[in-house]
Amino acid sequence: MTQTNTTIPQDDPLKIGDITLRSRLIVGTGKYKTFEETEQALEESGTEMVTVALRRVDLGADDHLLNHIDPKKYIILPNTAGCYNAEDAIRVSRLGREIGNSNLVKLEVLGDPDTLLPNPFETLKALEVLVKEGFTVMTYTSDDPVVAKQLEEAGSAVVMPAGAPIGSGQGILNRNNIRIILERAKVPIIVDAGVGTASDVSQAFELGCEAVLLNTGIAGAKDPIRMARAMKLAALAGRDAYLSGRIPKKLYANASSPDLDF
C-alpha cells in the first residue's frame, strides 16, 4: 500500500530587526499574582519574547520582575506603558537601553487614562526621535489604517494595532480595519491589546497577522497556566489555518460528497 507524504512545510520565522522568532506569541508580564506564576505562564505559553513595563519595575527592590525572566531564554521587549507624552516615552526607551537591553522597544503613548487609547500625535513624535537614535520600534496604535500607515512610513519596524481597548478582553472588534491595515502593510502587523481568549488569538492569525501580543487574557484568567497553553495552541492553529488558506464563503450550499463515484 502506497503511503501518502503528510509532511507539513515549516513556517518561516518572524523577523523583527535583527531578531528571529519561531514563536509568534508575545506575552506581557503584568498582573500575575506572583513572580513564580509569571514564570510558569511564560513557560507554558511557549513564547520567546516577553514585554516588560519599565516604569512598573522597582529595580531597587530586593526582588523584582527582571530577576524572574531568564535573558538566555527570552528576548526582553521593554515597553513605555504608562507614558502619556512623547518626552516620557523617549526617556523610558533610553532607560531601557541603558540598563542593558538592546535598541528594541515597544512604543506606547496613551492619550486618555480611562480608555487607555493611544495618542497618535505624541506616538508619531516619539517614533521619529527613536528611529533617528537607532531604535527598532514596535509601535502600539489604534486600528486606524491611516495612522498605521503613517507609523510605518515614519520608520516603525512593526505596527501593532489594538484589537480592542487594553485589558478589555473584547477580542478583535473591527476585523475590516485590521484587514485593510494588513493589505497595505510592508512591515509585520501584530495585534496588541483586547485579546480575551484563545479564539481571539486564532482569529488574528487567520486574518494574516504576523503575531499577537497579549497579557491580561492570560494573567487575568482563573487558571493562567492553563490559559497560557490554550493561547499557544490557538496561535499555532490560527497560523496554520492562515497558511492553509480557508475556503471561500458562499451564499448557497455545496454538497460535501462528490457527484460521481470514484
Side-chain angles (χ1 to χ4, degrees):
M1 179 177 178
T2 304
Q3 290 188 340
T4 302
N5 184 1
T6 57
T7 301
I8 298 175
Q10 293 295 309
D11 191 6
D12 293 332
L14 172 60
K15 293 187 176 181
I16 302 173
D18 58 358
I19 292 172
T20 299
L21 299 173
R22 285 289 177 187
S23 170
R24 291 173 177 267
L25 201 62
I26 303 172
V27 178
T29 51
K31 299 183 178 180
Y32 289 97
K33 299 179 185 70
T34 63
F35 290 141
E36 288 71 24
E37 186 179 74
T38 308
E39 292 182 49
Q40 293 176 45
L42 295 181
E43 176 71 27
E44 197 65 34
S45 73
T47 188
E48 295 174 292
M49 176 181 280
V50 298
T51 185
V52 175
L54 289 178
R55 292 180 63 134
R56 294 167 184 155
V57 177
D58 183 3
L59 296 174
D62 292 336
D63 193 19
H64 56 72
L65 176 62
L66 293 179
N67 292 338
H68 296 268
I69 301 174
D70 184 353
K72 295 179 181 177
K73 191 171 184 179
Y74 302 109
I75 296 167
I76 298 176
L77 171 63
N79 70 61
T80 63
C83 293
Y84 283 84
N85 58 63
E87 289 72 22
D88 282 352
I90 293 167
R91 179 174 53 79
V92 171
S93 299
R94 291 168 178 165
L95 175 63
R97 182 162 58 183
E98 289 174 3
I99 64 175
N101 288 301
S102 67
N103 286 339
L104 193 66
V105 66
K106 180 197 164 190
L107 174 62
E108 179 179 316
V109 186
L110 301 178
D112 182 274
D114 293 325
T115 65
L116 298 182
L117 291 174
N119 183 324
F121 308 105
E122 292 294 306
T123 299
L124 185 59
K125 188 190 301 182
L127 172 64
E128 291 172 341
V129 173
L130 293 173
V131 169
K132 287 181 180 177
E133 294 185 4
F135 281 88
T136 298
V137 187
M138 301 169 65
T139 310
Y140 171 68
T141 182
S142 67
D143 61 3
D144 185 329
V146 175
V147 175
K149 195 62 183 176
Q150 288 179 336
L151 294 172
E152 176 187 314
E153 292 173 349
S156 186
V158 172
V159 175
M160 308 175 76
I166 292 173
S168 69
Q170 298 181 55
I172 299 176
L173 294 179
N174 194 333
R175 287 188 294 175
N176 288 341
N177 272 19
I178 298 295
R179 287 175 59 192
I180 294 171
I181 291 171
L182 285 163
E183 284 180 2
R184 298 178 175 181
K186 296 180 180 177
V187 298
I189 300 299
I190 297 177
V191 160
D192 178 9
V195 173
T197 190
S199 57
D200 300 334
V201 172
S202 288
Q203 186 178 84
F205 281 105
E206 289 169 15
L207 287 171
C209 295
E210 294 282 359
V212 171
L213 190 154
L214 75 161
N215 185 169
T216 306
I218 294 177
K222 290 182 180 178
D223 185 342
I225 314 304
R226 192 165 193 161
M227 183 60 86
R229 183 176 62 187
M231 297 296 193
K232 174 179 67 178
L233 296 175
L236 293 171
R239 179 69 178 171
D240 267 350
Y242 170 72
L243 294 175
S244 300
R246 66 156 294 140
I247 63 170
K249 295 181 180 180
K250 298 179 179 177
L251 182 60
Y252 295 101
N254 187 4
S256 299
S257 54
D259 294 333
L260 300 172
D261 292 336
F262 290 109

